[in-house]
Amino acid sequence: MHEYSIAYDIFATAKRTALENSATIVKKVYMDVGEMTMINPEQVVFLFDTMCEEDPLFSGCELEYRSVSVKTKCKCGYEGSERFACPDCGLLPEIIEGREVMVTNIEIEVDD
């Protein structure tokens, strides 16, 4: 179950960022999930929420995700979303977007 390790990495990244910036609370974490990652983002959210329950810094924190569509590029010049065979030449196109799992933003509160 690699969703657990992904949720843990997101949690650890948010915690490290919060501590480096003297946060009093982490309100929301945003992530991008590519269509080709083969993970279930709902499971990642559930596991992340479970981790947050044990840390007061994350009280009420939400993990929000955005699905990233596949974008490909072929040597022949084709650019689009075909994953398996270029519609112009039949070669396997290179996937340039859609395989990432990435924290994009973290909302925190700090004392003045």
Side-chain angles (χ1 to χ4, degrees):
M1 175 174 359
H2 57 281
E3 280 86 355
Y4 179 83
S5 60
I6 291 169
Y8 178 78
D9 287 345
I10 293 167
F11 179 81
T13 298
K15 185 163 186 156
R16 183 178 61 250
T17 302
L19 294 174
E20 288 173 357
N21 291 283
S22 305
T24 55
I25 194 157
V26 178
K27 296 176 72 173
K28 196 176 248 189
V29 178
Y30 298 87
M31 73 172 180
D32 284 352
V33 179
E35 289 179 350
M36 297 293 289
T37 60
M38 306 306 246
I39 67 162
N40 182 333
E42 288 86 13
Q43 286 181 345
V44 174
V45 170
F46 172 78
L47 292 164
F48 178 84
D49 289 346
T50 303
M51 292 173 195
C52 290
E53 289 175 2
E54 299 177 13
D55 193 327
L57 183 63
F58 287 84
S59 179
C61 182
E62 294 180 49
L63 175 60
E64 188 173 300
Y65 67 90
R66 177 179 71 104
S67 182
V68 177
S69 299
V70 173
K71 290 185 183 172
T72 58
K73 185 170 152 182
C74 186
K75 293 177 184 177
C76 74
Y78 168 81
E79 291 187 20
S81 61
E82 180 55 51
R83 305 166 195 183
F84 305 109
C86 174
D88 293 342
C89 71
L91 293 174
L92 182 66
E94 175 188 1
I95 297 174
I96 54 176
E97 282 186 28
R99 293 186 299 202
E100 62 275 4
V101 177
M102 175 173 43
V103 173
T104 58
N105 196 16
I106 301 170
E107 287 182 21
I108 60 172
E109 285 186 9
V110 294
D111 284 336
D112 289 334

